[in-house]
Amino acid sequence: MPAESDLRSILHQLRKPNAASHHSQTTTLLSKAKLALLSLNALVPTPTTSPHLLAAAREVLELGALYSIRLQQPEAFTRYFQQLQPFYELPQSSFGAKDDRSQRSKITGLYLLLALTKGDYAGFHTVLEGLEVEAGSESARGELEKDAYIQYPVKLEQWLMEGSYDRVWGATKREGVPSEEFGVFSEVLVGTIRSEIASCSEKAYPSLPIANAKNLLFLDSEGSVVDFAHERGWVVQDGRIYFPLQQGQDMRTEKEILVASGQVIENAIGYARELETIV
């Protein structure tokens, strides 16, 4: 069939290593591929869809998802992820005996990471729990625990909950990510960390020196600290940042303020001190 021939040709072009660097061409190819799948009634899996068309449709959607990540288009990535779910719910045998092209692990790990950057912890755990239920047996769960793409966001979420921002910061560096697509979210996730630290700082301390805040908030310069402070509505005066007075804060002792800060701020401050010794 002409549509199947066109689809094979398009996939061949999309698989080329440099395909993603040609943005307009790749966007056009993905659109043509989805139209071909639509004409073949394969864009959504059905009981009559052949194994090779199921595999081709899944591959097109996965390539589109990864391409949208490189373009930093989280909404488009989310749409591709949702379109892929009916394919991921099918048994492996539906795609043929020799199927080994699935990138489900990477796509799912990226979605988990996206959920973290958005602070969508409910969505994060819904997907993760679904994977654990699907795994079923202990051996399958063991494989899930060894999966670098899945465990990367899982570890980040654990460290975020612990307030171990230094570990998150280190893991978002190039050498710490499982693939280049995960690195795209580094700045976004650091922004999430920065907001978390800023919120905790507001509740824990009446003020901080700008120099300490620079390291604490993972900012490159004191000027960036001042800009960030103005965005948050903080007062900058005499080399210090003054946080808005929390309700009832004026009644607390210094010891109570430190206790209220908890391990989150302690870990972040500790990392800031480490940075100071390096710098």
Side-chain angles (χ1 to χ4, degrees), residues 191 193-219 221-246 249 265:
I193 295 171
R194 189 173 291 128
S195 294
E196 292 280 351
I197 294 174
S199 297
C200 291
S201 298
E202 290 173 343
K203 297 171 184 174
Y205 301 108
S207 69
L208 279 176
I210 291 178
N212 288 357
K214 179 174 77 73
N215 292 335
L216 180 65
L217 297 169
F218 303 105
L219 290 167
S221 66
E222 293 190 4
S224 298
V225 177
V226 173
D227 292 339
F228 184 78
H230 289 157
E231 291 174 8
R232 300 278 304 193
W234 298 341
V235 175
V236 180
Q237 186 176 351
D238 299 328
R240 295 186 71 89
I241 291 174
Y242 292 87
F243 303 116
L245 190 65
Q246 302 293 318
Q249 184 169 309
I265 292 296

Side-chain angles (χ1 to χ4, degrees), residues 43 83 86 110 127 136 142 151 166 200 242 252 260-261 266:
L43 192 56
Q83 287 178 293
L110 284 165
V127 172
Q151 291 307 308
D166 55 330
C200 291
Y242 292 87
R252 294 189 295 172
S261 68
E266 288 181 18

Side-chain angles (χ1 to χ4, degrees), residues 109-208:
L110 284 165
Y111 184 80
L112 290 170
L113 184 54
L114 176 60
L116 288 184
T117 65
K118 294 161 59 178
D120 181 13
Y121 295 104
F124 177 94
H125 284 285
T126 297
V127 172
L128 185 59
E129 288 168 12
L131 292 175
E132 292 172 346
V133 170
E134 184 182 337
S137 65
E138 287 188 17
S139 60
R141 290 198 177 201
E143 289 299 315
L144 187 64
E145 291 173 358
K146 295 176 184 176
D147 190 319
Y149 294 129
I150 300 299
Q151 291 307 308
Y152 178 73
V154 167
K155 288 179 181 177
L156 291 182
E157 192 265 349
Q158 291 173 346
W159 293 333
L160 283 171
M161 293 299 96
E162 295 170 0
S164 300
Y165 296 124
D166 55 330
R167 303 184 75 176
V168 178
W169 173 256
T172 58
K173 297 302 181 183
R174 183 176 296 275
E175 63 273 11
V177 298
S179 77
E180 63 175 312
E181 292 88 0
F182 285 81
V184 172
F185 284 121
S186 294
E187 280 302 313
V188 181
L189 189 57
V190 169
T192 301
I193 295 171
R194 189 173 291 128
S195 294
E196 292 280 351
I197 294 174
S199 297
C200 291
S201 298
E202 290 173 343
K203 297 171 184 174
Y205 301 108
S207 69
L208 279 176

Side-chain angles (χ1 to χ4, degrees), residues 6 13 24 56 60 66 92 96-98 129 131 142 146 176-177 194 203 243 250 257 261 278:
D6 290 344
Q13 295 179 70
S24 59
V60 167
L66 295 175
Q92 189 65 31
K98 297 182 179 180
E129 288 168 12
L131 292 175
K146 295 176 184 176
V177 298
R194 189 173 291 128
K203 297 171 184 174
F243 303 116
D250 55 334
I257 290 173
S261 68
I278 295 172

